[in-house]
Amino acid sequence: MKNYTLLSLQELNAPYAQQLKEAACRVIDSGWFLRGAETEAFEREMADFLDIEHVVGVANGLDALRLIFKAYIEMGKLQPGDEVIVPANTFIASVLAITDCGLTPHFVEPSELTHNIDTSIIEQAITSRTRAIMVVHLYGRACWDDNLTTVARRHNLLIIEDNAQALGARTHNGQRTGTLGDAAGTSFYPGKNLGALGDAGMVTTHDAELAQMVETLANYGGSTRYVYEHKGLNSRIDEIQAAMLRVKLQYIDTENIRRSEIAHLFDRLIDNPHITVPQHPAQAHSHVWHQYIVRTHYRDAFMQYMHDNGIATGIHYPIPPHKQQAYKEYNDLSLPIAEQLAGEVVSLPIAPYLTNDDIQYIAEVINKFDPLKQ
Ligand SMILES: *Cc1c(COP(=O)(O)O)cnc(C)c1O
C-alpha cells in the first residue's frame, strides 16, 4: 500500500535543498541576521514579482495583519471599537488580528460555491461603525469582485487582504492578490505555497505612508535607533528566512501551475456521489490551490477510510472562529453556511511533488468509498 501524508515539507523543499543550504551559509558567513541585505533584496524581488511599490518583511502572517490594523490606528484611519467585516469561514488568525487591535469583527457568511466571503451580502452587514473589510483568499482562490469594490467605495471602507494562502494568485485581469486592496498580509509559514523554513510574513501596499508606519511599528515603534514615536512591537523577518524565500520565490509560479494541474486532475478523476469536488464559478479568478477541499456528509467515515488506505486527509477548518471558546462572546451567533461547511470539508493531499500517478491512485481510492460499507 502506498502512503501519503497531507504535506511533506521534506519532499516540498528537496528540489531546492542545495540552493537553500548555500543561501543559509551565505547568511551565516555574513554575520548579519536582521534588517540586512537579504531582507532588502527579498523585499525588492517580491515587489517586482507582485508589481507593487511597497513590501515590508515581518515575523509571520498574523503579525502582518496585526501591523496593518495597528498602523491604520496610529495613522488615525481606524479607532479601537471600529467594526471590520470578516468572513465567518476563515482561519482564526484573520480574526485574531482584528480583535488584538481592539477592533470588532463582524462575521459574514461564505458563498457555498467558492467558500470565500459572499460579497453580495456584505452591504447588509455594514453599520455606522464599519470602517474596513477583510477579504481572505481562502485555500488560494482569489476573492475579488465589483460587489466588493463598489460597497467599499460607497461606504468609504478600507479593504485589507488576508493573502496568507494565495501568494501568486491573480484576478482575471492578471493582477496578483496582495496588490488588490489597501493593504495585504501574507504568511510564509512552512506549509504555505511559498513557505520559509520557519516563521515569516510580509505586508504589501501601494501606500508609502502605511508601509513606513508598518516598518516602524515592527521595529519597536521607532524609525531611528533609540528614538520612539509609537508603541511598537518586535516583528522583523530574519535574514535567514529572507534568504530562503529568495530561493523559493523563483519557483512559485511553476509550483502553483503544478498545483493547478493536480487540482484539475482531481476534478476530472473523482467520481463518487458522496464526494463533492470544488466548484468553479463562471468568471473565475486564478486559484493557486493551497488546499484542495472536497465536501461530504460522511466525513468521519471518509477520513477513516482514507486513513485505512494510507492516505492522510485534513480539515480546514473544523470549528469556525465564532464557535471557538476563545470567542465566547460570539458563540451564540448563527452562521449556518459557515457552520455547515465546517462540518463537511475535507482536505486532500496536494503538493507540487505529487505525480499524475499519485493523483490517479488517490482518486481511485476515493471512488471506491461507500459510506454504507464502512
Ligand atoms: C496561515 C494563515 C494566517 C497566519 O499566518 P502565520 O504566518 O501562521 O501567522 C492568517 N490567515 C490565514 C488565512 C492563514 O492561512
Side-chain angles (χ1 to χ4, degrees):
M1 188 171 73
K2 297 189 200 174
N3 256 289
Y4 294 96
T5 55
L6 197 53
L7 179 67
S8 158
L9 294 176
Q10 222 165 13
E11 285 185 76
L12 193 69
N13 290 315
Y16 320 119
Q18 197 49 42
Q19 276 180 283
L20 292 169
K21 286 172 190 170
E22 281 164 21
C25 288
R26 187 173 72 225
V27 175
I28 293 165
D29 292 343
S30 79
W32 196 282
F33 302 111
L34 288 162
R35 287 165 70 79
E38 297 291 340
T39 300
E40 203 177 296
F42 167 68
E43 290 174 347
R44 193 174 54 241
E45 287 157 13
M46 182 59 83
D48 283 346
F49 173 81
L50 291 175
D51 193 15
I52 196 162
E53 297 86 341
H54 307 286
V55 175
V56 183
V58 299
N60 57 65
L62 172 56
D63 275 5
L65 296 168
R66 283 167 74 199
L67 282 159
I68 290 168
F69 288 119
K70 212 170 155 59
Y72 278 130
I73 290 171
E74 291 296 315
M75 289 160 71
K77 292 202 178 183
L78 290 177
Q79 288 184 328
D82 286 349
E83 283 178 13
V84 180
I85 288 174
V86 64
N89 183 42
T90 186
F91 180 55
I92 195 164
S94 316
V95 187
L96 290 174
I98 295 170
T99 56
D100 190 62
C101 292
L103 302 163
T104 303
H106 190 131
F107 298 101
V108 170
E109 286 270 54
S111 143
E112 270 209 77
L113 194 64
T114 65
H115 295 212
N116 276 329
I117 194 167
D118 182 347
T119 58
S120 71
I121 56 170
I122 287 179
E123 194 153 35
Q124 300 163 25
I126 291 173
T127 73
S128 59
R129 293 192 326 206
T130 309
R131 294 289 176 272
I133 304 173
M134 180 187 276
V135 292
V136 182
H137 308 295
L138 199 67
Y139 309 141
R141 189 199 293 270
C143 176
W144 198 258
D145 63 17
D146 291 343
N147 285 334
L148 179 72
T149 50
T150 307
V151 169
R153 210 173 307 119
R154 189 180 299 142
H155 298 273
N156 200 19
L157 307 176
L158 296 164
I159 303 181
I160 291 132
E161 301 171 70
D162 179 340
N163 191 38
Q165 302 191 356
L167 187 80
R170 301 169 181 270
T171 62
H172 57 263
N173 60 21
Q175 211 180 335
R176 304 255 195 199
T177 60
T179 72
L180 307 171
D182 293 284
T186 299
S187 165
F188 304 117
Y189 176 80
K192 298 287 159 74
N193 285 29
L194 178 59
L197 307 193
D199 275 318
M202 71 173 172
V203 172
T204 50
T205 180
H206 300 285
D207 179 344
E209 189 191 352
L210 179 72
Q212 184 57 59
M213 183 64 81
V214 165
E215 191 163 352
T216 301
L217 288 174
N219 193 39
Y220 312 112
S223 43
T224 315
R225 194 170 260 213
Y226 307 131
V227 182
Y228 304 98
E229 300 89 32
H230 307 276
K231 297 183 189 80
L233 36 116
N234 173 358
S235 182
R236 302 171 297 220
I237 190 170
D238 293 331
E239 285 282 283
I240 290 252
Q241 298 308 340
M244 301 298 100
L245 291 166
R246 288 181 67 199
V247 170
K248 292 180 70 181
L249 177 60
Q250 302 170 66
Y251 306 100
I252 185 67
D253 275 339
T254 311
E255 289 208 341
N256 283 342
I257 288 168
R258 180 61 194 150
R259 285 174 182 271
S260 186
E261 287 169 2
I262 291 171
H264 290 113
L265 259 182
F266 269 143
D267 286 350
R268 206 150 51 69
L269 297 173
I270 295 175
D271 181 15
N272 182 323
H274 304 292
I275 305 294
T276 307
V277 298
Q279 307 297 297
H280 300 284
Q283 199 191 39
H285 297 319
S286 85
H287 191 326
V288 293
W289 300 99
H290 175 57
Q291 301 290 356
Y292 186 91
I293 304 285
V294 296
R295 289 175 66 179
T296 176
H297 296 299
Y298 305 95
R299 183 162 68 189
D300 290 348
F302 177 62
M303 292 180 76
Q304 184 63 48
Y305 164 84
M306 294 295 279
H307 174 82
D308 294 344
N309 282 279
I311 302 168
T313 56
I315 305 178
H316 298 91
Y317 298 93
I319 307 171
H322 73 280
K323 291 293 182 192
Q324 296 283 355
Q325 200 188 329
Y327 285 114
K328 277 194 214 61
E329 61 274 40
Y330 301 113
N331 283 179
D332 291 336
L333 284 178
S334 171
L335 294 152
I337 302 174
E339 289 158 28
Q340 188 181 352
L341 291 179
E344 296 181 2
V345 292
V346 180
S347 316
L348 302 182
I350 185 164
Y353 56 78
L354 293 171
T355 65
N356 289 3
D357 285 347
D358 292 328
I359 302 308
Q360 177 101 34
Y361 174 80
I362 294 170
E364 277 166 16
V365 171
I366 292 171
N367 291 345
K368 288 188 202 129
F369 169 65
D370 180 351
L372 304 175
K373 287 204 192 130
Q374 294 312 302

